[in-house]
Amino acid sequence: MEPVLVVHGGGASCISCERRQRVRQGVIRAASLGHGVLRAGGSAVDAVEAAVAALEDDAEFNAGHGSVLTENGDVEMDASIMDGRDLGAGAVSAVRCIANPIKLARLVMDKTPHCFLTGQGAAKFAADMGISEIPGEQLVTERNRKRLEKERQEKDASSPDCPKNLGTVGAVALDCKGNVAYATSTGGIVNKMTGRVGDSPCIGSGGYADNSIGAVSTTGHGESILKVNLARLALFHLEQGKTVDEAADLALGYMKSRLKGLGGLILVSRTGEWVAKWTSTSMPWAAVKGGKVHAGIDLNDTTVTDLC
């Protein structure tokens, strides 16, 4: 089986010219790193964990070190991961002072009988597993401080039907043995209530993986994604015989028509077809397959280069 790795850097209303090259290079770097795991014989779940951890370490993206701030100016992060071999899954929500929530979600999957830990319980588990706690200020960037202040000033004028903060990161993979996996991680939405949890850690909404169908990671307006179970909805259409393009369009179209919810997703089928689709203004993404790196940010903005 030809290995495939696809990442996204989150649905967005706009990406400034000043940031575009850094964002594009960030998704390409993460996709290449994850695909390197696959080329070395690693599993799909190892590859998506590595790719998403790289995006969490990149302050350009709304996850890990680039997470947006709550109404109190803090960072609370959510993440989930799933192995399509046995439907093993792990998730964490409202975690603080951890550099890579996706690694903690992986440990929940591998080291506990549970699927989901949150808040203080997740923090205790992280400590028990030897994950270092870092000062919360290390996760707060100046750009996100300014975003919070701007959001507070504009809050009264914002329309709830047109959410602007759609950032998440995610990855899907197919390995040489035919196994699929997904991983999704986020800092949530700017100025969110403390304790707010969106779709990203919720299996079936923020992502899903099943070797008999494929794997999906989603991004966008979390409340809308939760209401339609966007990831599993896309895979349902794939199960019904739709192509990956058709499945993505149908799932995203339903969320938009039913709830006015915007977002995007990446999907890889069990046979290696892949797609990146979105209804938000843009969605940084990159895919590696067959020695080629595909990447883009806006519609009709795809580049294809040789894998270094």
Side-chain angles (χ1 to χ4, degrees), residues 9-81:
S13 55
C14 65
I15 296 174
S16 67
C17 294
E18 182 262 334
R19 293 182 56 230
R20 289 179 71 85
Q21 187 60 23
R22 295 198 301 272
V23 168
R24 183 184 290 270
Q25 289 304 313
V27 290
I28 291 174
R29 184 166 52 248
S32 300
L33 188 153
H35 193 264
V37 173
L38 298 176
R39 288 202 318 275
S43 68
V45 74
D46 287 340
V48 295
E49 179 187 2
V52 167
L55 292 167
E56 289 176 335
D57 290 339
D58 189 332
E60 293 297 331
F61 301 99
N62 178 17
H65 288 80
S67 293
V68 297
L69 306 181
T70 69
E71 60 185 1
N72 294 330
D74 301 317
V75 168
E76 289 188 347
M77 301 166 289
D78 310 324
S80 63
I81 192 167

Side-chain angles (χ1 to χ4, degrees), residues 45-128:
V45 74
D46 287 340
V48 295
E49 179 187 2
V52 167
L55 292 167
E56 289 176 335
D57 290 339
D58 189 332
E60 293 297 331
F61 301 99
N62 178 17
H65 288 80
S67 293
V68 297
L69 306 181
T70 69
E71 60 185 1
N72 294 330
D74 301 317
V75 168
E76 289 188 347
M77 301 166 289
D78 310 324
S80 63
I81 192 167
M82 189 171 189
D83 189 338
R85 287 177 293 190
D86 58 1
L87 305 188
V92 293
S93 67
V95 297
R96 301 174 176 225
C97 304
I98 291 172
N100 296 109
I102 198 62
K103 294 183 179 181
L104 184 57
R106 174 72 185 272
L107 288 169
V108 171
M109 178 174 75
D110 289 347
K111 302 295 184 181
T112 82
H114 308 308
C115 288
F116 202 145
L117 294 178
T118 192
Q120 293 181 349
K124 180 181 183 302
F125 176 66
D128 291 344

Side-chain angles (χ1 to χ4, degrees), residues 270-307:
R270 63 184 180 87
T271 53
E273 289 80 24
W274 62 270
V275 71
K277 290 270 186 172
W278 61 95
T279 52
S280 50
T281 303
S282 61
M283 185 185 78
W285 63 274
V288 183
K289 181 181 180 181
K292 298 291 183 181
V293 181
H294 308 251
I297 293 178
D298 300 318
L299 293 173
N300 305 313
D301 176 36
T302 302
T303 61
V304 183
T305 57
D306 292 329
L307 180 63

Side-chain angles (χ1 to χ4, degrees), residues 8 80 182-184 199-208 216-219 225 231:
H8 70 76
S80 63
Y182 94 85
T184 304
D199 65 287
S200 295
C202 297
I203 309 302
S205 292
Y208 202 81
V216 184
S217 173
T218 67
T219 179
I225 292 173

